[in-house]
Amino acid sequence: ASIDDVDIINTVDDKVQELMQTLSSTSNSKSQISLFFTETKSRKAWFSKSEEEVCWEEWTVHVQSKVGAQTEKERVERHSSAVDQCKRVIFSAIQEIDKHKDHIPLIATSQANPFPYHITVAPASGLWSSMIKRAILPGIS
């Protein structure tokens, strides 16, 4: 099975490029790219009604770049290989979800895409979890 939706393909392409830009080409660096699937749920209060997105599945890919002495040709080949690998992993996650549908929430909307998805890229200087730890415990680096 393959991904036929041009919007999904373009979003993945854009986010993988964003990920590659966050990784330093001159030193070893780490980052992550996360894929979230959500559903929109209505919340009723006493005098109001609102909607919220609730995440029902998350896939996170941790990426670490290793930079060694390399020629420009090797750097371009490694970059291309890393981009291809990241795309394959994200598309594999989407295809796995499509294969195993028993955990997917019931469709409660007539929208073309009943389950919004989000792809996020963590800053390369530190993953979100380490950034939160640093905020809570300033002595951690």
Side-chain angles (χ1 to χ4, degrees):
S2 66
I3 308 296
D4 297 328
D5 188 317
V6 175
D7 290 336
I8 292 173
I9 293 169
N10 290 338
T11 300
V12 170
D13 286 344
D14 292 346
K15 289 299 182 172
V16 168
Q17 287 303 322
E18 181 182 332
L19 172 69
M20 292 300 129
Q21 290 173 358
T22 65
L23 296 172
S24 173
S25 62
T26 58
S27 65
N28 295 339
S29 56
K30 296 178 184 179
S31 188
Q32 69 184 32
I33 187 167
S34 298
L35 173 62
F36 300 92
F37 292 92
T38 61
E39 67 176 313
T40 304
K41 288 191 170 188
S42 294
R43 292 183 62 199
K44 295 178 185 175
W46 281 90
F47 299 105
S48 65
K49 183 178 177 183
S50 64
E51 292 184 339
E52 67 177 335
E53 280 191 9
V54 178
C55 181
W56 55 267
E57 184 146 358
E58 174 184 348
W59 291 64
T60 300
V61 179
H62 299 275
V63 181
Q64 181 173 358
S65 69
K66 299 276 187 183
V67 178
Q70 52 184 286
T71 65
E72 181 63 20
K73 181 182 176 195
E74 288 174 325
R75 190 191 68 70
V76 169
E77 287 173 356
R78 285 185 180 180
H79 177 81
S80 178
S81 175
V83 167
D84 290 343
Q85 288 176 25
C86 285
K87 287 180 186 180
R88 265 197 315 271
V89 168
I90 293 170
F91 289 138
S92 292
I94 293 168
Q95 290 170 342
E96 278 300 308
I97 290 168
D98 197 39
K99 283 184 208 171
H100 305 284
K101 297 179 182 182
D102 55 339
H103 69 290
I104 296 176
L106 294 174
I107 296 175
T109 181
S110 60
Q111 295 176 340
N113 182 10
F115 302 115
Y117 65 93
H118 307 283
I119 302 174
T120 60
V121 175
S125 59
L127 300 178
W128 291 324
S129 59
S130 63
M131 289 173 47
I132 291 170
K133 286 178 188 174
R134 280 185 286 210
I136 295 171
L137 305 168
I140 294 179
S141 55

